[in-house]
Amino acid sequence: MTFNTFGHSFRFTTWGESHGPAIGAVVDGCPPGLLLCETDVQPWLDKRRPGTSRFTTQRQEPDQVRILSGVYEGRTTGTPIHLMIDNVDQRSKDYGDIAQAYRPGHADYAYDAKYSLRDPRGGGRSSARETASRVAAGAVARLVIPEVSIRAYLVELGGDAIDRAAFDDAEIDRNPFFCPDPAAAARWETLLDAARKSGSSLGAIVECCASGVPAGWGSPVYAKLDSQLAAAMMSINAVKGVEIGDGFGVARLRGEENADAMRPGNDGRPVFGSNHAGGTAGGISTGQPVVIRIALKPTSSILTPVDTITSAGDATAIVTKGRHDPCVGIRAAPVAEAMMALVLADARLMHRGQTGF
Amino acid sequence: MTFNTFGHSFRFTTWGESHGPAIGAVVDGCPPGLLLCETDVQPWLDKRRPGTSRFTTQRQEPDQVRILSGVYEGRTTGTPIHLMIDNVDQRSKDYGDIAQAYRPGHADYAYDAKYSLRDPRGGGRSSARETASRVAAGAVARLVIPEVSIRAYLVELGGDAIDRAAFDDAEIDRNPFFCPDPAAAARWETLLDAARKSGSSLGAIVECCASGVPAGWGSPVYAKLDSQLAAAMMSINAVKGVEIGDGFGVARLRGEENADAMRPGNDGRPVFGSNHAGGTAGGISTGQPVVIRIALKPTSSILTPVDTITSAGDATAIVTKGRHDPCVGIRAAPVAEAMMALVLADARLMHRGQTGF
Amino acid sequence: MTFNTFGHSFRFTTWGESHGPAIGAVVDGCPPGLLLCETDVQPWLDKRRPGTSRFTTQRQEPDQVRILSGVYEGRTTGTPIHLMIDNVDQRSKDYGDIAQAYRPGHADYAYDAKYSLRDPRGGGRSSARETASRVAAGAVARLVIPEVSIRAYLVELGGDAIDRAAFDDAEIDRNPFFCPDPAAAARWETLLDAARKSGSSLGAIVECCASGVPAGWGSPVYAKLDSQLAAAMMSINAVKGVEIGDGFGVARLRGEENADAMRPGNDGRPVFGSNHAGGTAGGISTGQPVVIRIALKPTSSILTPVDTITSAGDATAIVTKGRHDPCVGIRAAPVAEAMMALVLADARLMHRGQTGF
Amino acid sequence: MTFNTFGHSFRFTTWGESHGPAIGAVVDGCPPGLLLCETDVQPWLDKRRPGTSRFTTQRQEPDQVRILSGVYEGRTTGTPIHLMIDNVDQRSKDYGDIAQAYRPGHADYAYDAKYSLRDPRGGGRSSARETASRVAAGAVARLVIPEVSIRAYLVELGGDAIDRAAFDDAEIDRNPFFCPDPAAAARWETLLDAARKSGSSLGAIVECCASGVPAGWGSPVYAKLDSQLAAAMMSINAVKGVEIGDGFGVARLRGEENADAMRPGNDGRPVFGSNHAGGTAGGISTGQPVVIRIALKPTSSILTPVDTITSAGDATAIVTKGRHDPCVGIRAAPVAEAMMALVLADARLMHRGQTGF
């Protein structure tokens, strides 16, 4: 996970800025012979695409992906797959102010402190636009683990949680919030409209669940599946917390409450009585669904003025105009799915390399 | 973070099992010329050492470290530093049962699923004994970042949280819980005694704070400081959640509440009005304290019987005897400090390599 | 050096095939603030460009590079730099035959054995066209090590060596062979014309010299500068041998003949009496010029029929038509320079990271 | 290949200095279930062990290896295998002089230039004693590739080459030179005795051949098998040249001479008419024997005085006493075998990970 590359055996490297001509991902180490064309990738990008509802940024990006290498006659060849997406709707004029003053909650000050310069147009490399590249790479990763189903959805928005009893998988794609609870989705519409109109923004919690992961993926110690997933999820813009299974809730359980009891299953594999662990033990998958939750902060770009300093060090206040998501957590759902797929594809190839299975 | 190695420019690799003859860490990429001898490492190991109170395992390990390479006349030479710790008090007979049945919450089943065999003595490689190697390596890392102070402490045990208003740094080393609140420490004593006597165990939340980290360490995207820290912390045994700054709390804040406003400081650097972000922005340190919290599950080794299966696939129930910590969260505090130091030392060398600062 | 990525602190990843729409390189870890635009890269690509004389392939590729990320207002930002080159003159029809039969000396059979499929158009990923991406990345690397001058040139072609006494640096760019000896260049013209007309090809030896490398770059053991350079050079298409300093010649020297004696220099640094070692000792640069030589096999694509088998396993003979360099060693000179620059830039950042210098 | 770690999927890290208490290797990523005990490793170490004839250093090291982790009940568990070898016969007094003056041809000056300090006892980390760790790790690697046979032998010593027509595999272990030609071995005895008695030293060329490598191992571009092998071999102390197959000889061949023609074999695999390529094409194994040759310089530690400077920068002359091999090439043969095994084991796991075979 050095700089702009993620993964070991299945790896990808992304490049590009918010307001440059294009962005892209180079996927390396992909198994050969997989059927792959642009239409395998595009639907995932469409889920993440901005401008699809009033609850996401109004920047209009078609996010059309092109596969420029690594595929011959519709099959992966085992060589690097370059996925490129043109930037179409850059309006750099919107970002004149932020070249001079640091937006609180954004990377502006930290970039200047590190590099002594930065590309201020739309946040440059720190923009969540980079996550489109991940979604494209994730589409390839899914092909490597066809036995796995991955689904991410919001379980909380602006502090308002879903009702787990009302969880309906089919509902997730029916509302603009990837929300599995129709009643919550209705409430969130009101909540987010109000926040948006008042120039504010809201946080969210996204859950991502991968089912069909066989027991044995991942590794002990520093390459624990948990550790790789935490790194992957915490690398998504605006994420400040990651938990697996019961997560922070385990800290309040007693040993006997937390134990995921096992009994013999019909197929020789164990049946677990619960999944507090979220599908891993000792860093290795157990065959249960891998369940992870991430906390996303409210969008830092808001119309409420906030005190800050200029790059010259003077006091000022800033209002961040431009086109922004009032809740970045929404579009983080397809990104979380992609990162889950990318970690699992890598884990699968690593496992197969070491053990032959 | 491949297998048993962590880090990029400052790296370390650990080896060894709970009941083997010894464990150790090879630290690689360490700057030359640092003053280092065993007495720089031993105090940190002593903090993590088992058997120091009735609230940790009664296994008696002196955890004496030996430096076998990489130091000449008391200074690091820039070559690999091997830190070795003998295992002294292995009682493998305690573990006869678990070779046959999978302990729920432990790595037993997952290891067998992955490797088709495992070392059952004390959990083998999956034992938290491995974390002694991290603490030793972390002691070296601290020398690389002398400007940074790192402190970890428990903020919650068994669901009982400290009172932040009563936070007293000096208190942390005065009780067996690394607890900064004396009243909470007193309550935890009762709480944990009760759990221990009833054959149960409790979870905990550990907070780790690094102050003195200058702005500019870390990287955008996949090597975000947040991402490295999350990977580091989630690799610690029994950790199921990681959060930075306000963590999951940010999901319930509005944009203006979450903004860490800045004003000009006297030294040319900004003064922040708050630290919701926990010391990072865009994956790069901001000069504020880096604050991370981790959730640890209750020890899985309990005296309460739990349903499970044997390695042959038959139903059984298991009681885990042996010597165990009733709350693994306690001894995780020095381990969290070590992982923080290791991540920051690596970040510092990476930053210096790329930028010269 | 995993798959399609090279380097540690200064890293690059390449993608693309001979007959795909484009090729490119993503340079990662580049220091910020370096002046960089397309005109810094293009001259190096022009040196490697095909079709500039009758001694290179007649494929017409303008090799115009575009920088798609990582630069803002003419300076590197420290984020990934994507360098892309469109393929313009693909004539895939030339390659109909080789989809069916394995060309001896080419990667055809090995690719099929590994991946069970391959892109036969122009050799796909195994084409030397990939080296254009290296040359582009190498141009960025040069900016990281401005104190270093790198020069590669042919010292032997078709078994005919230059006269070292006639070595003239200025001559290298005056002939189509990067030959520093004008008399040899004249002989090679005749030699290669004859080989080309007879449908054959010739091998070559390229020497690459980097002067201005300060003492201290590189590392002991597995990251020896020698080792990194050997990996870099051996990764160039058609290279089958690499030697540093006197190389294979040292095997015939006695200890006292091979010793590079030192005496005090005026600037506090030693003056060496010879450079048998080629600028490294123990894997670390000594301040002397780094000198490396590589052996390139004759182009495998020849008009002389060679016995081979079809992908179905039947005996056949093959004549490789298409547009080929009669001596691939010539255009390898700019590629060797690029790889030298890439290794040294990485070594510099690694050294600065570890030691601060 | 960062610092002291080599490999990707099958990796190892070494530590230790010539005159420290011990040296060792941590092997990581090893497949589980392999039968492994000390007696699998010891014979390889015995081949490399010093003091076995008058043609190697008289330092007496039993080189007894201990396996401290990663093995349970005689089988590898998939966790790190620590192989440790105590140093027994350190005589640091021999090295008093070299703390003050730089030995030409040694790493002394370069280490000081890099690290500003060094361990002068026996060359510290730059001593060839480190290669014992590689041989131990290589013994584990061999278990990963049981289908492969690896053999290294000297083909030239002091400029005197073997007669290929007299090549006798059984002869290699019958003389102190790993020489396959008995007549050459007899000549070398005289040659090396003379060099030794005159206080000089000789260079050598070692060839290493791996048969049984199936087609398909290795990767295109930067992870070419050739590239990994070159990095591995060039990392061995005193190696200044590496060539694969015909190596530098290919530069003197014409295309049709260099072509390894193929015809159908009885088992569906091709039969090659020659092996100029040395078993690889496009960086991938072809199923032919992998053949590599390395050039080793004459030992730099000689009794003939050589001009040099002190660490204070003053002129002096140095004679290197101590116990040294008069030809380091001899003991490099078992080391070359180990590095070949380590590269191939890694290539095998990488290949299996990506393709499933």
Side-chain angles (χ1 to χ4, degrees), chain C residues 58-80:
Chain C
Q58 296 308 301
R59 180 169 169 175
Q60 293 296 329
E61 286 292 347
D63 278 354
Q64 288 292 324
V65 70
R66 280 180 294 154
I67 299 175
L68 295 185
S69 66
V71 174
Y72 178 64
E73 296 186 342
R75 287 191 184 272
T76 59
T77 60
T79 60

Side-chain angles (χ1 to χ4, degrees), chain A residues 114 156 200 218 227 231 252 256, chain B residues 156 200 218 227 231 252 256:
Chain A
K114 183 175 190 70
E156 195 175 309
S200 186
S227 194
R252 287 118 201 182
E256 60 276 18
Chain B
E156 197 176 304
S200 185
S227 193
R252 288 114 201 187
E256 60 277 16

Side-chain angles (χ1 to χ4, degrees), chain A residues 69-70 72 77-80, chain C residues 3-4 14-20 22-23 48 59 87 95 98 101-112 114-115 117-134 234-239 296-297 299-301 320 324-325 328 331 335, chain D residues 218-224 226 280-284:
Chain A
S69 67
Y72 177 65
T77 60
T79 61
Chain C
F3 299 128
N4 295 281
T14 70
W15 60 269
E17 285 96 36
S18 177
H19 285 53
I23 60 173
R48 184 208 153 277
R59 180 169 169 175
N87 287 333
Y95 297 93
I98 66 176
Y102 298 131
R103 294 168 298 166
H106 277 282
D108 302 347
Y109 169 69
Y111 267 60
D112 262 11
K114 182 175 192 69
Y115 298 122
L117 86 172
R118 73 193 146 96
D119 178 351
R121 300 165 303 160
R125 182 68 181 156
S126 72
S127 165
R129 177 126 194 84
E130 187 270 343
T131 60
S133 300
R134 306 179 187 218
M234 201 67 106
S235 78
I236 301 173
N237 310 48
V239 172
L296 292 111
K297 65 180 183 183
T299 315
S300 298
S301 299
T320 311
H324 305 290
D325 291 269
V328 288
R331 293 205 290 136
V335 180
Chain D
S219 281
V221 193
Y222 307 116
K224 282 191 170 80
D226 316 55
T280 70
I284 299 166

Side-chain angles (χ1 to χ4, degrees), chain C residues 296-322:
Chain C
L296 292 111
K297 65 180 183 183
T299 315
S300 298
S301 299
I302 48 175
L303 292 173
T304 315
V306 185
D307 285 343
T308 190
I309 60 172
T310 66
S311 51
D314 298 318
T316 184
I318 196 164
V319 165
T320 311
K321 292 173 213 147

Side-chain angles (χ1 to χ4, degrees), chain A residues 78-92:
Chain A
T79 61
I81 301 165
H82 186 211
L83 303 150
M84 190 158 116
I85 301 165
D86 287 325
N87 287 333
V88 168
D89 185 17
Q90 313 101 307
R91 285 197 221 156
S92 293

